[in-house]
Amino acid sequence: MMTTVTLAPVGEDLHITCEARMQAALEGHFRALRERIAALIERDGCLPVVFWMQERQALANLLVPLHLEGLRLGIEQEMRRPRFPALTLLLNINGRTREAALHLSRDAAQSVTLSAAECADAALADVSAAALVALRAALRIGALSDGRAERLAGYQMRRAMAAGVLLAQRAVPLGSISPDESETARLCV
């Protein structure tokens, strides 16, 4: 009898998996948000004053764990380099990853909610049934489209990984970098 061993995903596989999770989360949130916007406008004729603030916070909360995954991937990618001592890295980087994930998540949520708010504001001038159908269509193909979720997931995952690499590089004390490396780094900036 033959047994198969499943290897843990590495490198690009983890990146693709994390990006797919982020895309699925964004698509699900976008679909629900499209329906909430149209339903509230249809029911009340307007959106509540705090609607966009709550939506921005909800989306940011959804994205934080996904950005943390991307940050960790970037950190692990950088830790594979021989010049980075793992113990120092673990001691110096722990508090910064959550802060970075929050920043990335809030930034992405702000971008999404602003573009969706602009689209919804245009529909608030006319609350007819035809305007609501047009709003749903505009949100589905524009600000809250599945295509935007896909592009945003790829972009945000690359941002998170790059931020992880930067966090790992900044966590290493300057004394542990050789003079040749610091000269090279200064030239590259």
Side-chain angles (χ1 to χ4, degrees), residues 4-177:
T4 42
V5 177
T6 305
L7 299 175
V10 291
E12 188 64 27
D13 292 341
L14 283 173
H15 173 79
I16 291 169
T17 302
C18 290
E19 188 176 321
R21 267 189 250 148
M22 184 175 283
Q23 180 180 344
L26 285 169
E27 286 175 356
H29 188 80
F30 285 6
R31 285 184 191 121
L33 184 55
R34 286 192 303 250
E35 291 307 312
R36 267 195 310 276
I37 291 168
L40 284 170
I41 291 174
E42 186 175 28
R43 185 187 75 193
D44 301 337
C46 65
L47 293 171
V49 175
V50 296
F51 179 80
W52 292 113
M53 290 185 294
Q54 291 171 342
E55 286 303 323
R56 183 182 65 222
Q57 189 59 45
L59 182 56
N61 291 342
L62 174 74
L63 293 176
V64 167
L66 299 165
H67 277 111
L68 278 171
E69 283 185 55
L71 285 164
R72 288 189 183 116
L73 282 175
I75 291 168
E76 289 171 6
Q77 175 184 341
E78 193 62 22
M79 282 180 61
R80 288 190 200 110
R81 299 175 122 190
R83 69 179 189 171
F84 286 95
L87 182 60
T88 305
L89 182 63
L90 291 175
L91 293 175
N92 291 340
I93 205 157
N94 229 2
R96 295 181 186 161
T97 54
R98 179 105 177 124
E99 184 180 312
L102 283 169
H103 173 74
L104 290 170
S105 298
R106 288 177 181 157
D107 185 51
Q110 180 73 14
S111 168
V112 168
T113 54
L114 278 177
S115 59
E118 289 172 356
C119 190
D121 284 345
L124 287 174
D126 180 18
V127 197
S128 67
L132 288 173
V133 169
L135 172 63
R136 281 188 174 100
L139 290 172
R140 191 177 325 104
I141 62 171
L144 299 176
S145 69
D146 289 346
R148 181 169 187 202
E150 180 181 357
R151 289 186 307 278
L152 186 63
Y155 175 69
Q156 290 299 316
M157 192 52 59
R158 286 190 303 278
R159 269 185 85 191
M161 288 181 66
V165 168
L166 288 174
L167 283 172
Q169 289 174 349
R170 290 180 182 157
V172 176
L174 292 177
S176 67
I177 298 175

